[in-house]
Amino acid sequence: MKIRLETEKDFLKVEKLVRNSFWNVYRPGAFEHYIVHHLRNDESFIKNLAYVIECDGEIRGHINYSVGFIDYGDEETDAVVLGPIAIDNDYQNMGWGSKLISYTLDLAKSENIPFVCVIGDENYYHRFGFESASKYNIFLEGTDTNDECPFFMIRIFDESKLKNKQGIFHNPDVFDVDEGDVDDFDRQFEFKEKLVLEGQLKEL
């Protein structure tokens, strides 16, 4: 197993991996692979933090980072966000996701990125030093600023770069997708049935 930068020859394999690992998890079907595909040509993409895990010549894991922003009302500041991250379904629960996250967070810190945001399971991401972003008065767009949003977290490397006022984090625009566009994109992949399953996000 080795961790290396993603290359162009990995693109389709990565998209298949991401599609399979997210399929029917958070919603019927998935659109994370569509985001990954378009993110590579988006100005928000951080190419030198797009890494894969390779094992026996096959891609078994992948991680992306991109640049969103925090709106403080009177000013905006760049904010790096982690994701999507995906591990091959047959290789999950082996610690490979943890290795990929830890490796790339260390790189982010070495490149003087002051903080990284993530949307995900707080019980998982706490182990990497992520905290609830509301602790620092930063909230995810569309959520209630009067309540803690435990699944929106931040890992801080340089707290001096945060503003001492309320801010609203926005993902890059490429994260906003149209379901019809995703369906068109999916025609190049093997057919997979969309299913409504318990535990998927209610609003979807």
Side-chain angles (χ1 to χ4, degrees), residues 55-79:
C55 181
D56 297 327
E58 295 295 331
I59 305 300
R60 302 300 185 187
H62 174 261
I63 194 168
N64 270 338
Y65 290 78
S66 54
V67 183
F69 69 94
I70 298 173
D71 182 359
Y72 287 103
D74 57 346
E75 61 179 319
E76 295 179 355
T77 186
D78 287 346

Side-chain angles (χ1 to χ4, degrees), residues 2 22 70 100 130 152 164 198:
K2 66 178 179 180
F22 279 98
I70 298 173
L100 199 51
F130 282 92
F152 177 57
N164 189 26
E198 184 178 355

Side-chain angles (χ1 to χ4, degrees), residues 98-189:
S98 294
K99 292 181 186 299
L100 199 51
I101 292 170
S102 296
Y103 184 85
T104 52
L105 283 176
D106 285 345
L107 287 176
K109 182 179 180 180
S110 72
E111 294 183 12
N112 297 316
I113 292 174
F115 50 85
V116 175
C117 298
V118 71
I119 301 168
D121 181 355
E122 64 271 21
N123 295 316
Y124 180 75
Y125 283 100
H126 281 170
R127 73 186 70 175
F128 307 106
F130 282 92
E131 307 170 83
S132 175
S134 62
K135 175 181 176 181
Y136 299 93
N137 214 13
I138 301 171
F139 299 88
L140 178 63
E141 178 188 17
T143 61
D144 189 345
T145 57
N146 293 313
D147 293 328
E148 182 181 7
C149 181
F151 58 85
F152 177 57
M153 293 158 281
I154 191 168
R155 167 70 190 274
I156 298 174
F157 300 121
D158 184 355
E159 192 169 344
S160 70
K161 300 300 183 182
L162 294 175
K163 310 292 183 182
N164 189 26
K165 52 187 174 181
Q166 181 175 289
I168 305 298
F169 171 78
H170 297 254
N171 273 314
D173 289 341
V174 71
F175 280 66
D176 295 326
V177 301
D178 179 270
E179 188 172 350
D181 292 339
V182 178
D183 288 341
D184 290 341
F185 180 68
D186 264 346
R187 291 193 177 97
Q188 68 181 297
F189 299 103

